[in-house]
Amino acid sequence: MFFDVKPILHTPGKQLEFTFTLDLSDVDFAGRYPVSRPVTVEGLVRNSADVLTMTMDLRSTLDAVCDRCGKAFRQEKEIPFTCVLAEEVENDDNDEIVLLEDGKVDLGDLARTIFILGMDTKTLCSEDCKGLCPRCGADLNLGPCSCKKETDPRLAVLAKLLENK
């Protein structure tokens, strides 16, 4: 989706707003497709002293799975993004400058890239998720499991001393 910024390119003080939805249901994250709902993209391009600044907010609800306990849950995801739009750049290494093509910016491709790069590499159902017992697989968030703690063989002699007291 190309967005034409030529109407404000050389008009300081003007701005253009945009809103659209993006379908990322085909994006595979480690064998899962967490973006089953559309991503809402809202933003604006503002000309301040002949510098075009674009701000964008990307939002969706993800179908996530906790990496500690395996529980499925919904996660609200919001990614803010800001960049400068330019007709030409001297240094291609600057990620904060997006190059215009004939006075237009490809918002669809840019939003897709921003959302994918903004995805969490690890998802947790809660910050204090205790995960699963490595022996019996019980969900430790529901309570302690019935496994007996195994003593480290290197400390077995010390454990025997504690049992005698």
Side-chain angles (χ1 to χ4, degrees), residues 151-165:
T151 306
D152 186 333
R154 297 169 291 179
L155 303 174
V157 175
L158 295 174
K160 286 181 183 176
L161 288 173
L162 291 174
E163 289 175 7
N164 294 335
K165 285 191 171 193

Side-chain angles (χ1 to χ4, degrees), residues 80-94:
F81 178 75
T82 302
C83 70
V84 172
L85 302 177
E87 293 181 283
E88 58 186 52
V89 292
E90 292 178 15
N91 185 357
D92 289 339
D93 294 337
N94 192 339

Side-chain angles (χ1 to χ4, degrees), residues 10 13 23 26-27 47 50 58 74 91-92 125 152 154 156 163:
H10 300 290
D23 180 17
D26 63 331
V27 178
N47 186 332
D50 277 338
L58 300 95
R74 289 194 175 160
N91 185 357
D92 289 339
C125 58
D152 186 333
R154 297 169 291 179
E163 289 175 7

Side-chain angles (χ1 to χ4, degrees), residues 28-54:
D28 179 1
F29 286 93
R32 294 190 348 256
Y33 298 88
V35 193
S36 63
R37 291 164 198 77
V39 177
T40 304
V41 182
E42 296 175 343
L44 64 90
V45 178
R46 176 179 290 132
N47 186 332
S48 299
D50 277 338
V51 175
L52 294 180
T53 305
M54 181 173 67

Side-chain angles (χ1 to χ4, degrees), residues 11-32:
T11 314
K14 295 288 185 176
Q15 68 181 29
L16 294 171
E17 296 180 4
F18 56 87
T19 301
F20 64 96
T21 58
L22 189 63
D23 180 17
L24 295 179
S25 60
D26 63 331
V27 178
D28 179 1
F29 286 93
R32 294 190 348 256

